[in-house]
Amino acid sequence: MKFFRKLLFPFAVLYGWVTRTRNYFYDKGWFKSKQYRLPVICVGNLNVGGTGKSPMIELLIEMLKEDYKIATLSRGYKRKTTGFLEVKTTHTAIEVGDEPLQFKQKFPNITVAVCADRQMGIEKLEKEADVILLDDAFQHRKVKASLNILLTPCDELYVQDYLLPTGNLREARSGADRADVIIVTKCKKNIAYAKMQEIRFILNIAAHQKLYFATIDYADSVFGISEELPLIYLKDKPFTLVTGIANPKPLVEFLTSEGYNFKHKKFPDHHNFSEAEISALKREEIILTTEKDFMRLKEPLGKFAMYYLPIKTKILNRQEGFLREMVVANVEANLFS
């Protein structure tokens, strides 16, 4: 597969020329970006998928929800509906997308919406919120965010990747210059200070940018359709791990390191399960899955012995307070300007 992708290098060059030209036109003002009266915080990446955008959005919600009216705006990837739609807790993942449904069910008091046209979505949400969180919109240059947060996985830094289709970059590495904050995600909890300094040197961030390191924090409990159980309940019970996310490696490594006995059924990111796949999964005795996959599986599977393990993004090195201060300062500056 890697060899085949290398053969596609000429297409990566062409793709790079197209994305660079587009960005150049925006940078010069020939293509217009719209700025809004309220703070708009964008969370995105240069790599395709698997950088931890959803838990980062949830971290921002936790930081802001007590003091501000929050709205999240996502594309609603692979949903069967079109246009602008405000997400309700009664919606299904097929109607609104798995991540927006996850946000709404976890934080029912915030406004969650989906719209492929981010300008239209923001305009419909302006009266509903003090701050809008844009999910996966770093390349959506029609909107000029008040704060751009760029995520990059610790073991797949964007500076070590190549453009599609040879690599997994959506745009050239130079696109990172638009970021105000760069967060290296999915680090080991005990990452050495020397390793963080090495990554800082490799990324070579600009003077205006702030760099943070984050890890995945797994919950102590798993949640099903009707119950919550301690994760250790599964310790002596063989189960099937079902994932339809871009990078299940950290979860697999965590469960393996903790001594759990499981087999892994891996599906593509945002996978819409077929009837045959659902029938096969119904025959599994116990299923553990991700929170995002649970949003897609709970309706068609209807299986009580199916659980999800929540995760959180945790900023390392006691830096979460500094990130919170930066985010709040941006909100305040733009809200009352």
Side-chain angles (χ1 to χ4, degrees), residues 165-227:
T166 299
N168 292 311
L169 293 184
R170 296 171 168 181
E171 59 173 302
R173 302 167 187 172
S174 59
D177 293 344
R178 300 195 307 276
D180 303 294
V181 177
I182 297 176
I183 302 179
V184 181
T185 60
K186 302 186 178 181
C187 300
K188 293 181 179 179
K189 291 183 179 180
N190 59 348
I191 183 172
Y193 179 74
K195 180 64 175 178
M196 290 191 286
Q197 291 303 100
E198 178 188 344
I199 292 173
R200 179 182 290 274
F201 177 78
I202 292 171
L203 293 179
N204 190 28
I205 65 171
H208 72 279
Q209 295 174 322
K210 299 293 183 182
L211 180 66
Y212 297 93
F213 294 83
T215 190
I216 296 173
D217 212 12
Y218 293 96
D220 295 325
S221 299
V222 294
F223 297 81
I225 293 175
S226 61
E227 62 183 345

Short mmCIF file of all heavy atoms in Angstrom, two decimals, residues 165-227:
data_model
loop_
_atom_site.label_atom_id
_atom_site.label_comp_id
_atom_site.label_asym_id
_atom_site.label_seq_id
_atom_site.Cartn_x
_atom_site.Cartn_y
_atom_site.Cartn_z
N PRO A 165 -2.27 12.17 -2.55
CA PRO A 165 -2.57 10.83 -2.00
C PRO A 165 -1.33 10.06 -1.55
O PRO A 165 -1.44 8.95 -1.08
CB PRO A 165 -3.23 10.14 -3.19
CG PRO A 165 -2.53 10.74 -4.38
CD PRO A 165 -2.26 12.18 -4.02
N THR A 166 -0.14 10.66 -1.68
CA THR A 166 1.07 9.97 -1.22
C THR A 166 1.08 9.85 0.30
O THR A 166 1.44 8.82 0.86
CB THR A 166 2.33 10.72 -1.70
OG1 THR A 166 2.33 10.73 -3.14
CG2 THR A 166 3.59 10.05 -1.20
N GLY A 167 0.72 10.93 0.98
CA GLY A 167 0.64 10.94 2.43
C GLY A 167 -0.77 11.20 2.89
O GLY A 167 -1.74 10.88 2.18
N ASN A 168 -0.91 11.85 4.05
CA ASN A 168 -2.24 12.09 4.63
C ASN A 168 -2.52 13.57 4.89
O ASN A 168 -3.43 13.90 5.65
CB ASN A 168 -2.39 11.32 5.94
CG ASN A 168 -2.43 9.82 5.74
OD1 ASN A 168 -3.16 9.32 4.90
ND2 ASN A 168 -1.61 9.10 6.49
N LEU A 169 -1.75 14.46 4.27
CA LEU A 169 -1.95 15.89 4.49
C LEU A 169 -3.01 16.46 3.55
O LEU A 169 -2.98 16.21 2.33
CB LEU A 169 -0.64 16.66 4.30
CG LEU A 169 0.47 16.41 5.31
CD1 LEU A 169 1.65 17.34 5.03
CD2 LEU A 169 -0.01 16.59 6.74
N ARG A 170 -3.91 17.25 4.12
CA ARG A 170 -4.95 17.90 3.34
C ARG A 170 -4.42 19.12 2.60
O ARG A 170 -5.00 19.56 1.63
CB ARG A 170 -6.08 18.36 4.27
CG ARG A 170 -6.81 17.24 4.98
CD ARG A 170 -7.74 17.82 6.02
NE ARG A 170 -8.67 16.84 6.55
CZ ARG A 170 -9.59 17.11 7.45
NH1 ARG A 170 -9.69 18.33 7.95
NH2 ARG A 170 -10.41 16.17 7.88
N GLU A 171 -3.37 19.71 3.13
CA GLU A 171 -2.74 20.87 2.51
C GLU A 171 -1.27 20.86 2.90
O GLU A 171 -0.84 20.07 3.74
CB GLU A 171 -3.41 22.17 2.93
CG GLU A 171 -3.39 22.42 4.44
CD GLU A 171 -3.92 23.80 4.80
OE1 GLU A 171 -3.36 24.80 4.31
OE2 GLU A 171 -4.89 23.87 5.59
N ALA A 172 -0.50 21.77 2.30
CA ALA A 172 0.94 21.81 2.56
C ALA A 172 1.22 22.11 4.03
O ALA A 172 0.41 22.72 4.73
CB ALA A 172 1.58 22.87 1.68
N ARG A 173 2.38 21.69 4.50
CA ARG A 173 2.78 21.90 5.89
C ARG A 173 2.76 23.38 6.27
O ARG A 173 2.51 23.72 7.43
CB ARG A 173 4.19 21.35 6.10
CG ARG A 173 4.32 19.86 5.78
CD ARG A 173 5.78 19.46 5.69
NE ARG A 173 5.95 18.09 5.22
CZ ARG A 173 7.11 17.54 4.92
NH1 ARG A 173 8.22 18.26 5.06
NH2 ARG A 173 7.18 16.31 4.49
N SER A 174 3.02 24.24 5.28
CA SER A 174 3.03 25.69 5.55
C SER A 174 1.67 26.20 6.02
O SER A 174 1.58 27.29 6.59
CB SER A 174 3.47 26.45 4.31
OG SER A 174 2.59 26.18 3.21
N GLY A 175 0.61 25.44 5.81
CA GLY A 175 -0.71 25.83 6.29
C GLY A 175 -0.76 25.99 7.79
O GLY A 175 -1.60 26.71 8.33
N ALA A 176 0.17 25.33 8.49
CA ALA A 176 0.21 25.42 9.95
C ALA A 176 0.50 26.85 10.41
O ALA A 176 0.24 27.19 11.57
CB ALA A 176 1.28 24.48 10.51
N ASP A 177 1.02 27.69 9.53
CA ASP A 177 1.31 29.08 9.91
C ASP A 177 0.06 29.84 10.32
O ASP A 177 0.14 30.83 11.05
CB ASP A 177 1.98 29.82 8.74
CG ASP A 177 3.37 29.27 8.42
OD1 ASP A 177 3.92 28.55 9.28
OD2 ASP A 177 3.88 29.53 7.32
N ARG A 178 -1.12 29.38 9.88
CA ARG A 178 -2.38 30.07 10.23
C ARG A 178 -2.81 29.78 11.66
O ARG A 178 -3.70 30.44 12.19
CB ARG A 178 -3.51 29.64 9.29
CG ARG A 178 -3.26 29.93 7.82
CD ARG A 178 -4.55 29.82 7.00
NE ARG A 178 -5.25 28.57 7.17
CZ ARG A 178 -4.97 27.45 6.49
NH1 ARG A 178 -3.98 27.44 5.61
NH2 ARG A 178 -5.68 26.35 6.67
N ALA A 179 -2.22 28.76 12.29
CA ALA A 179 -2.64 28.37 13.63
C ALA A 179 -2.14 29.36 14.68
O ALA A 179 -1.02 29.86 14.60
CB ALA A 179 -2.12 26.97 13.94
N ASP A 180 -2.99 29.62 15.66
CA ASP A 180 -2.59 30.39 16.84
C ASP A 180 -2.06 29.46 17.93
O ASP A 180 -1.18 29.84 18.70
CB ASP A 180 -3.78 31.19 17.38
CG ASP A 180 -4.37 32.11 16.33
OD1 ASP A 180 -3.68 33.05 15.93
OD2 ASP A 180 -5.52 31.86 15.91
N VAL A 181 -2.64 28.27 17.99
CA VAL A 181 -2.27 27.26 18.98
C VAL A 181 -2.04 25.95 18.26
O VAL A 181 -2.83 25.56 17.40
CB VAL A 181 -3.39 27.08 20.03
CG1 VAL A 181 -3.03 25.97 21.01
CG2 VAL A 181 -3.67 28.37 20.76
N ILE A 182 -0.96 25.27 18.58
CA ILE A 182 -0.69 23.93 18.05
C ILE A 182 -0.64 22.97 19.24
O ILE A 182 0.08 23.21 20.21
CB ILE A 182 0.63 23.88 17.26
CG1 ILE A 182 0.54 24.80 16.03
CG2 ILE A 182 0.95 22.44 16.83
CD1 ILE A 182 1.84 24.90 15.24
N ILE A 183 -1.43 21.92 19.16
CA ILE A 183 -1.47 20.93 20.25
C ILE A 183 -1.04 19.58 19.72
O ILE A 183 -1.64 19.06 18.76
CB ILE A 183 -2.88 20.85 20.88
CG1 ILE A 183 -3.30 22.22 21.42
CG2 ILE A 183 -2.89 19.81 22.00
CD1 ILE A 183 -4.68 22.26 22.04
N VAL A 184 0.01 19.04 20.31
CA VAL A 184 0.49 17.70 19.95
C VAL A 184 -0.32 16.71 20.77
O VAL A 184 -0.20 16.66 22.00
CB VAL A 184 1.99 17.56 20.23
CG1 VAL A 184 2.48 16.16 19.83
CG2 VAL A 184 2.79 18.63 19.50
N THR A 185 -1.16 15.94 20.11
CA THR A 185 -2.11 15.07 20.80
C THR A 185 -1.60 13.62 20.87
O THR A 185 -0.64 13.24 20.20
CB THR A 185 -3.47 15.07 20.07
OG1 THR A 185 -3.28 14.60 18.72
CG2 THR A 185 -4.05 16.47 20.04
N LYS A 186 -2.28 12.85 21.72
CA LYS A 186 -2.04 11.41 21.85
C LYS A 186 -0.60 11.10 22.29
O LYS A 186 -0.03 10.08 21.89
CB LYS A 186 -2.39 10.68 20.55
CG LYS A 186 -3.84 10.90 20.13
CD LYS A 186 -4.25 10.08 18.95
CE LYS A 186 -5.72 10.32 18.61
NZ LYS A 186 -6.20 9.53 17.47
N CYS A 187 -0.04 11.99 23.10
CA CYS A 187 1.27 11.73 23.69
C CYS A 187 1.15 10.67 24.78
O CYS A 187 0.08 10.51 25.39
CB CYS A 187 1.86 13.00 24.30
SG CYS A 187 2.08 14.36 23.14
N LYS A 188 2.22 9.99 25.08
CA LYS A 188 2.24 9.12 26.25
C LYS A 188 2.18 9.99 27.51
O LYS A 188 2.75 11.08 27.54
CB LYS A 188 3.50 8.27 26.25
CG LYS A 188 3.54 7.25 25.12
CD LYS A 188 4.80 6.41 25.18
CE LYS A 188 4.80 5.37 24.04
NZ LYS A 188 6.04 4.55 24.04
N LYS A 189 1.52 9.49 28.53
CA LYS A 189 1.36 10.28 29.76
C LYS A 189 2.70 10.62 30.39
O LYS A 189 2.85 11.65 31.03
CB LYS A 189 0.47 9.53 30.76
CG LYS A 189 -0.98 9.44 30.33
CD LYS A 189 -1.83 8.76 31.38
CE LYS A 189 -3.29 8.71 30.95
NZ LYS A 189 -4.15 8.05 31.96
N ASN A 190 3.67 9.73 30.20
CA ASN A 190 4.99 9.94 30.81
C ASN A 190 6.01 10.42 29.79
O ASN A 190 7.21 10.16 29.93
CB ASN A 190 5.47 8.65 31.47
CG ASN A 190 5.59 7.49 30.47
OD1 ASN A 190 5.11 7.59 29.34
ND2 ASN A 190 6.22 6.42 30.89
N ILE A 191 5.54 11.13 28.77
CA ILE A 191 6.46 11.62 27.74
C ILE A 191 7.57 12.45 28.38
O ILE A 191 7.33 13.28 29.25
CB ILE A 191 5.70 12.45 26.68
CG1 ILE A 191 6.66 12.90 25.56
CG2 ILE A 191 4.95 13.60 27.29
CD1 ILE A 191 5.96 13.56 24.38
N ALA A 192 8.80 12.19 27.96
CA ALA A 192 9.96 12.86 28.55
C ALA A 192 10.03 14.31 28.09
O ALA A 192 9.63 14.66 26.97
CB ALA A 192 11.24 12.13 28.15
N TYR A 193 10.54 15.14 28.97
CA TYR A 193 10.72 16.56 28.64
C TYR A 193 11.63 16.72 27.42
O TYR A 193 11.38 17.57 26.56
CB TYR A 193 11.32 17.30 29.84
CG TYR A 193 11.58 18.77 29.57
CD1 TYR A 193 10.53 19.68 29.52
CD2 TYR A 193 12.88 19.22 29.37
CE1 TYR A 193 10.77 21.02 29.27
CE2 TYR A 193 13.12 20.57 29.12
CZ TYR A 193 12.07 21.46 29.07
OH TYR A 193 12.31 22.79 28.83
N ALA A 194 12.66 15.87 27.32
CA ALA A 194 13.56 15.93 26.17
C ALA A 194 12.82 15.64 24.86
O ALA A 194 13.10 16.25 23.82
CB ALA A 194 14.71 14.93 26.36
N LYS A 195 11.84 14.71 24.92
CA LYS A 195 11.05 14.39 23.73
C LYS A 195 10.18 15.58 23.33
O LYS A 195 10.05 15.89 22.14
CB LYS A 195 10.18 13.16 24.02
CG LYS A 195 9.30 12.73 22.84
CD LYS A 195 10.12 12.29 21.66
CE LYS A 195 9.24 11.75 20.53
NZ LYS A 195 10.04 11.35 19.35
N MET A 196 9.59 16.27 24.31
CA MET A 196 8.78 17.45 24.01
C MET A 196 9.64 18.54 23.38
O MET A 196 9.21 19.21 22.43
CB MET A 196 8.08 17.95 25.27
CG MET A 196 6.99 17.03 25.78
SD MET A 196 5.95 17.78 27.07
CE MET A 196 7.08 17.73 28.46
N GLN A 197 10.84 18.71 23.87
CA GLN A 197 11.73 19.72 23.29
C GLN A 197 12.14 19.34 21.88
O GLN A 197 12.28 20.21 21.00
CB GLN A 197 12.97 19.88 24.18
CG GLN A 197 12.69 20.53 25.53
CD GLN A 197 12.05 21.91 25.36
OE1 GLN A 197 10.84 22.07 25.49
NE2 GLN A 197 12.88 22.90 25.05
N GLU A 198 12.32 18.05 21.65
CA GLU A 198 12.64 17.57 20.30
C GLU A 198 11.51 17.89 19.34
O GLU A 198 11.73 18.35 18.21
CB GLU A 198 12.91 16.07 20.33
CG GLU A 198 13.21 15.46 18.96
CD GLU A 198 13.28 13.94 18.99
OE1 GLU A 198 13.41 13.38 20.10
OE2 GLU A 198 13.20 13.33 17.91
N ILE A 199 10.28 17.62 19.77
CA ILE A 199 9.11 17.91 18.93
C ILE A 199 8.98 19.41 18.68
O ILE A 199 8.68 19.84 17.57
CB ILE A 199 7.84 17.34 19.58
CG1 ILE A 199 7.88 15.80 19.56
CG2 ILE A 199 6.59 17.85 18.87
CD1 ILE A 199 6.77 15.15 20.33
N ARG A 200 9.21 20.21 19.71
CA ARG A 200 9.17 21.67 19.54
C ARG A 200 10.18 22.11 18.47
O ARG A 200 9.87 22.95 17.62
CB ARG A 200 9.48 22.36 20.88
CG ARG A 200 9.48 23.88 20.80
CD ARG A 200 9.84 24.48 22.14
NE ARG A 200 8.78 24.29 23.12
CZ ARG A 200 7.75 25.10 23.27
NH1 ARG A 200 7.62 26.17 22.49
NH2 ARG A 200 6.84 24.85 24.19
N PHE A 201 11.37 21.52 18.51
CA PHE A 201 12.41 21.86 17.53
C PHE A 201 11.98 21.43 16.12
O PHE A 201 12.14 22.17 15.15
CB PHE A 201 13.72 21.18 17.91
CG PHE A 201 14.83 21.40 16.92
CD1 PHE A 201 15.54 22.60 16.90
CD2 PHE A 201 15.17 20.41 16.01
CE1 PHE A 201 16.56 22.80 15.97
CE2 PHE A 201 16.18 20.60 15.08
CZ PHE A 201 16.88 21.80 15.06
N ILE A 202 11.40 20.22 16.01
CA ILE A 202 10.97 19.70 14.71
C ILE A 202 9.86 20.55 14.11
O ILE A 202 9.86 20.87 12.92
CB ILE A 202 10.51 18.23 14.84
CG1 ILE A 202 11.69 17.32 15.17
CG2 ILE A 202 9.83 17.75 13.55
CD1 ILE A 202 11.29 15.90 15.51
N LEU A 203 8.89 20.95 14.95
CA LEU A 203 7.77 21.74 14.45
C LEU A 203 8.19 23.16 14.09
O LEU A 203 7.59 23.78 13.20
CB LEU A 203 6.65 21.78 15.50
CG LEU A 203 5.93 20.47 15.79
CD1 LEU A 203 4.87 20.67 16.87
CD2 LEU A 203 5.29 19.89 14.53
N ASN A 204 9.20 23.69 14.78
CA ASN A 204 9.72 25.02 14.47
C ASN A 204 8.60 26.05 14.40
O ASN A 204 8.40 26.74 13.39
CB ASN A 204 10.49 24.99 13.14
CG ASN A 204 11.26 26.27 12.89
OD1 ASN A 204 11.66 26.96 13.83
ND2 ASN A 204 11.46 26.60 11.62
N ILE A 205 7.83 26.16 15.49
CA ILE A 205 6.65 27.02 15.48
C ILE A 205 7.05 28.48 15.41
O ILE A 205 8.15 28.87 15.79
CB ILE A 205 5.77 26.76 16.73
CG1 ILE A 205 6.51 27.15 18.01
CG2 ILE A 205 5.31 25.32 16.76
CD1 ILE A 205 5.64 27.13 19.24
N ALA A 206 6.12 29.30 14.92
CA ALA A 206 6.35 30.74 14.77
C ALA A 206 6.25 31.44 16.13
O ALA A 206 5.71 30.89 17.10
CB ALA A 206 5.35 31.33 13.79
N ALA A 207 6.74 32.66 16.18
CA ALA A 207 6.78 33.41 17.44
C ALA A 207 5.39 33.67 17.99
O ALA A 207 5.20 33.74 19.21
CB ALA A 207 7.51 34.73 17.22
N HIS A 208 4.38 33.81 17.10
CA HIS A 208 3.02 34.13 17.57
C HIS A 208 2.26 32.89 18.04
O HIS A 208 1.14 33.02 18.55
CB HIS A 208 2.23 34.80 16.44
CG HIS A 208 1.82 33.86 15.34
ND1 HIS A 208 2.68 33.49 14.32
CD2 HIS A 208 0.66 33.21 15.10
CE1 HIS A 208 2.06 32.66 13.50
NE2 HIS A 208 0.83 32.47 13.94
N GLN A 209 2.83 31.70 17.89
CA GLN A 209 2.12 30.47 18.17
C GLN A 209 2.46 29.92 19.56
O GLN A 209 3.59 30.06 20.04
CB GLN A 209 2.42 29.41 17.11
CG GLN A 209 1.92 29.80 15.72
CD GLN A 209 2.34 28.82 14.65
OE1 GLN A 209 3.46 28.30 14.67
NE2 GLN A 209 1.44 28.55 13.71
N LYS A 210 1.47 29.26 20.18
CA LYS A 210 1.65 28.58 21.45
C LYS A 210 1.59 27.08 21.20
O LYS A 210 0.77 26.60 20.41
CB LYS A 210 0.58 28.99 22.45
CG LYS A 210 0.56 30.48 22.79
CD LYS A 210 1.81 30.90 23.54
CE LYS A 210 1.72 32.37 23.94
NZ LYS A 210 2.97 32.82 24.64
N LEU A 211 2.46 26.34 21.90
CA LEU A 211 2.53 24.89 21.73
C LEU A 211 2.17 24.19 23.03
O LEU A 211 2.69 24.54 24.10
CB LEU A 211 3.94 24.48 21.29
CG LEU A 211 4.19 22.98 21.07
CD1 LEU A 211 3.37 22.47 19.89
CD2 LEU A 211 5.68 22.71 20.85
N TYR A 212 1.28 23.19 22.92
CA TYR A 212 0.89 22.39 24.08
C TYR A 212 0.98 20.91 23.72
O TYR A 212 0.94 20.53 22.53
CB TYR A 212 -0.54 22.72 24.52
CG TYR A 212 -0.74 24.14 24.97
CD1 TYR A 212 -1.15 25.12 24.09
CD2 TYR A 212 -0.50 24.50 26.30
CE1 TYR A 212 -1.32 26.43 24.50
CE2 TYR A 212 -0.68 25.80 26.73
CZ TYR A 212 -1.08 26.77 25.82
OH TYR A 212 -1.25 28.07 26.23
N PHE A 213 1.07 20.08 24.75
CA PHE A 213 1.10 18.64 24.57
C PHE A 213 -0.07 18.03 25.33
O PHE A 213 -0.39 18.46 26.44
CB PHE A 213 2.42 18.06 25.08
CG PHE A 213 3.62 18.51 24.30
CD1 PHE A 213 4.22 19.74 24.58
CD2 PHE A 213 4.14 17.74 23.28
CE1 PHE A 213 5.32 20.18 23.85
CE2 PHE A 213 5.23 18.17 22.55
CZ PHE A 213 5.83 19.38 22.83
N ALA A 214 -0.71 17.03 24.71
CA ALA A 214 -1.91 16.44 25.31
C ALA A 214 -1.85 14.92 25.23
O ALA A 214 -1.20 14.35 24.36
CB ALA A 214 -3.16 16.95 24.61
N THR A 215 -2.56 14.29 26.14
CA THR A 215 -2.67 12.83 26.14
C THR A 215 -4.13 12.43 26.19
O THR A 215 -5.02 13.27 26.38
CB THR A 215 -1.91 12.23 27.35
OG1 THR A 215 -1.84 10.81 27.19
CG2 THR A 215 -2.61 12.55 28.66
N ILE A 216 -4.39 11.15 25.99
CA ILE A 216 -5.74 10.61 26.10
C ILE A 216 -5.94 10.07 27.51
O ILE A 216 -5.12 9.28 28.01
CB ILE A 216 -5.98 9.48 25.08
CG1 ILE A 216 -5.89 10.04 23.65
CG2 ILE A 216 -7.33 8.82 25.31
CD1 ILE A 216 -5.94 8.96 22.58
N ASP A 217 -7.00 10.48 28.15
CA ASP A 217 -7.34 10.01 29.48
C ASP A 217 -8.58 9.13 29.38
O ASP A 217 -9.64 9.60 28.96
CB ASP A 217 -7.61 11.21 30.39
CG ASP A 217 -7.21 10.95 31.83
OD1 ASP A 217 -6.52 9.95 32.06
OD2 ASP A 217 -7.58 11.74 32.71
N TYR A 218 -8.44 7.87 29.74
CA TYR A 218 -9.56 6.93 29.64
C TYR A 218 -10.36 6.91 30.94
O TYR A 218 -9.80 7.03 32.03
CB TYR A 218 -9.06 5.52 29.32
CG TYR A 218 -8.45 5.41 27.95
CD1 TYR A 218 -7.07 5.52 27.76
CD2 TYR A 218 -9.25 5.22 26.83
CE1 TYR A 218 -6.51 5.44 26.49
CE2 TYR A 218 -8.70 5.13 25.55
CZ TYR A 218 -7.33 5.25 25.40
OH TYR A 218 -6.79 5.18 24.14
N ALA A 219 -11.67 6.76 30.81
CA ALA A 219 -12.55 6.72 31.98
C ALA A 219 -12.37 5.41 32.74
O ALA A 219 -11.84 4.42 32.21
CB ALA A 219 -14.00 6.87 31.54
N ASP A 220 -12.83 5.41 33.98
CA ASP A 220 -12.79 4.20 34.81
C ASP A 220 -14.03 3.34 34.63
O ASP A 220 -14.09 2.23 35.16
CB ASP A 220 -12.66 4.58 36.29
CG ASP A 220 -11.35 5.29 36.60
OD1 ASP A 220 -10.34 4.93 35.97
OD2 ASP A 220 -11.35 6.20 37.45
N SER A 221 -15.02 3.87 33.91
CA SER A 221 -16.29 3.16 33.72
C SER A 221 -16.62 3.04 32.24
O SER A 221 -16.14 3.83 31.41
CB SER A 221 -17.43 3.90 34.42
OG SER A 221 -17.21 3.98 35.81
N VAL A 222 -17.42 2.04 31.92
CA VAL A 222 -17.99 1.90 30.59
C VAL A 222 -19.49 2.11 30.68
O VAL A 222 -20.10 1.88 31.73
CB VAL A 222 -17.67 0.52 29.97
CG1 VAL A 222 -16.17 0.38 29.73
CG2 VAL A 222 -18.18 -0.62 30.84
N PHE A 223 -20.09 2.56 29.58
CA PHE A 223 -21.51 2.92 29.59
C PHE A 223 -22.23 2.17 28.48
O PHE A 223 -21.76 2.07 27.35
CB PHE A 223 -21.66 4.43 29.38
CG PHE A 223 -21.05 5.25 30.48
CD1 PHE A 223 -19.68 5.50 30.49
CD2 PHE A 223 -21.83 5.76 31.51
CE1 PHE A 223 -19.09 6.26 31.51
CE2 PHE A 223 -21.26 6.51 32.53
CZ PHE A 223 -19.89 6.75 32.53
N GLY A 224 -23.40 1.65 28.83
CA GLY A 224 -24.23 0.95 27.86
C GLY A 224 -25.54 1.66 27.64
O GLY A 224 -25.72 2.81 28.05
N ILE A 225 -26.48 0.99 27.02
CA ILE A 225 -27.79 1.57 26.75
C ILE A 225 -28.53 1.88 28.05
O ILE A 225 -29.22 2.89 28.17
CB ILE A 225 -28.62 0.61 25.87
CG1 ILE A 225 -27.98 0.51 24.47
CG2 ILE A 225 -30.07 1.07 25.77
CD1 ILE A 225 -28.65 -0.50 23.56
N SER A 226 -28.35 1.02 29.05
CA SER A 226 -29.13 1.19 30.27
C SER A 226 -28.32 1.10 31.56
O SER A 226 -28.89 1.12 32.64
CB SER A 226 -30.24 0.12 30.32
OG SER A 226 -29.67 -1.18 30.33
N GLU A 227 -26.99 1.01 31.46
CA GLU A 227 -26.22 0.84 32.68
C GLU A 227 -24.81 1.41 32.55
O GLU A 227 -24.29 1.59 31.45
CB GLU A 227 -26.14 -0.63 33.07
CG GLU A 227 -25.45 -1.51 32.04
CD GLU A 227 -25.45 -2.98 32.43
OE1 GLU A 227 -25.72 -3.28 33.61
OE2 GLU A 227 -25.19 -3.83 31.56
#
